[in-house]
Every structure is written in structure tokens, then in C-alpha cells.
Amino acid sequence: MDNTIDRLTYSYSNARKSWETWCFLVNLDLKTTNDKILKYVENNELLQHFRFLSFKDFHIELYKILKDSRNNQDNIFRLLRDIPNTDERKNNTDKRLAELTEHLEFINKLLDTRDKYYAHLDKDYEKHIKEGRTVNDIYYLFQCVEQAIIALTSLEYLTSHLDKIPSRDEFTLNTYDCEKIQ
């Protein structure tokens, strides 16, 4: 497989791992919710920091994929655009490019959050961490990115990478320690 596709998929896998970690630490969309774990995280400075780092890494890894610039040779926009007209994947990659482009306002909010808060801490950083992002937008973005990777490679290729990502429902914390929090 092309090195740029491997890098893209590697970054996407890391973004998804960080997302799963963050979801676990905020008790989001777990098959079995556990408020004790959420309280435990809230009362544990190190776990709070892990939660922060997982969300920071989520933004950084997505930035690698979604920043459409000449300096970013393995971004998904460039990879989709660079498929030649004679390639049988062209119609599908154009469709995936259009889907991502439709979501550009949301993508730019994520990129701005990485730039203005996680990478540089601008004076007005609070504006960027509170700016409209919803979980549904993130899930839709995941879907768009995954469909684009499939269009560039194959379902089997993407699945081989996604299968290695642990689910937030597979994570555990010692619930004995959580019992002490109540």
C-alpha cells in the first residue's frame, strides 16, 4: 500500500483510539454506563489529565488527516483529489470528497481548536473549546473519513486497522477504587 495511505490510516487509527479513550473517561455512549468511574476520573488528577490528553491527541491526529494544505502531503482531501480521471475509483472518490467538503465548517472548527487551544493556547482559546461540536458531528465525520479511506483502498484494508482499536466498552478501571468515591 502507498506510504501516504498508510500514514493516513495510522493517524486515523490513533484518532479513533484517542476518541475511545476519551469516551470511556467521560462515560459517553458506553454499553453499560458507570457513574462511579466518571466520579473516579473527576476526582483523580492523573486520570483527568489522561482525559485531556486523549481529547488533545484526538484533535492532533484528525488535524493530520483533515488539514488541506500543500505542506500536508497525506491529507485526505489531497489523496481524494489526486485520483486520476482514468482510475476506476474516481467517481467514488469524488463523492467522498464532496461529503467531506459539505462538512467543512465542522472540520474547520476542529482544526481551529487544535491550532488555537491545543497547539498554541491563543488569548481567546476558550472560544474555541466551547465552539459548536457535537458527538453526532464527530460520528458523521468518522463515517466520511472511513468511506474515503475505503474509496482509496478497500473495506478489508480499513477493517484490518479498525479491528486493532479497543472499544471503550473493553476498558476497565478497578471498580474497588471507584467504590470508595461514592
Side-chain angles (χ1 to χ4, degrees):
M1 192 62 49
D2 182 325
N3 187 39
T4 56
I5 299 290
D6 289 337
R7 288 168 43 118
L8 169 81
T9 309
Y10 179 78
S11 295
Y12 181 67
S13 295
N14 283 338
R16 288 292 305 271
K17 284 180 206 171
S18 294
W19 176 255
E20 289 296 309
T21 303
W22 183 81
C23 287
F24 174 77
L25 294 171
V26 298
N27 206 20
L28 178 68
D29 291 340
L30 297 174
K31 287 180 184 172
T32 306
T33 59
N34 190 336
D35 292 333
K36 291 177 185 173
I37 290 176
L38 182 60
K39 272 188 179 175
Y40 187 64
V41 170
E42 288 294 326
N43 289 303
N44 184 300
E45 191 172 335
L46 184 59
L47 289 175
Q48 286 177 33
H49 190 63
F50 285 155
R51 181 176 59 196
F52 168 79
L53 291 176
S54 64
F55 208 50
K56 178 180 182 176
D57 187 64
F58 163 76
H59 282 83
I60 290 168
E61 295 296 335
L62 279 181
Y63 189 92
K64 294 175 192 176
I65 298 165
L66 299 170
K67 180 66 176 174
D68 192 10
S69 77
R70 286 180 281 171
N71 296 336
N72 185 5
Q73 295 302 307
D74 50 342
N75 78 78
I76 201 156
F77 292 98
R78 186 190 69 78
L79 293 170
L80 291 168
R81 277 193 307 267
D82 284 354
I83 298 296
N85 289 335
T86 56
D87 192 308
E88 64 185 26
R89 301 172 295 167
K90 184 63 174 170
N91 285 340
N92 195 12
T93 57
D94 284 350
K95 182 179 178 182
R96 302 310 167 196
L97 182 59
E99 287 173 349
L100 283 165
T101 302
E102 286 174 18
H103 213 50
L104 211 47
E105 183 179 337
F106 176 73
I107 289 170
N108 286 332
K109 287 179 185 178
L110 284 174
L111 299 179
D112 282 349
T113 300
R114 180 266 181 200
D115 282 342
K116 312 251 182 226
Y117 178 60
Y118 291 115
H120 304 292
L121 200 59
D122 287 10
K123 289 180 185 178
D124 63 345
Y125 73 91
E126 288 181 347
K127 173 182 124 182
H128 298 283
I129 59 175
K130 295 178 181 175
E131 213 166 75
R133 287 185 309 265
T134 69
V135 171
N136 288 337
D137 286 323
I138 291 169
Y139 288 143
Y140 180 73
L141 181 60
F142 286 159
Q143 180 183 349
C144 290
V145 170
E146 289 175 13
Q147 289 300 313
I149 293 171
I150 292 168
L152 291 166
T153 61
S154 69
L155 176 60
E156 294 77 21
Y157 177 82
L158 177 64
T159 303
S160 72
H161 289 274
L162 294 181
D163 285 347
K164 296 174 187 168
I165 300 170
S167 165
R168 66 194 82 161
D169 292 306
E170 296 171 0
F171 295 146
T172 59
L173 280 177
N174 183 339
T175 55
Y176 172 76
D177 290 338
C178 295
E179 297 290 329
K180 296 177 187 176
I181 301 293
Q182 298 188 33

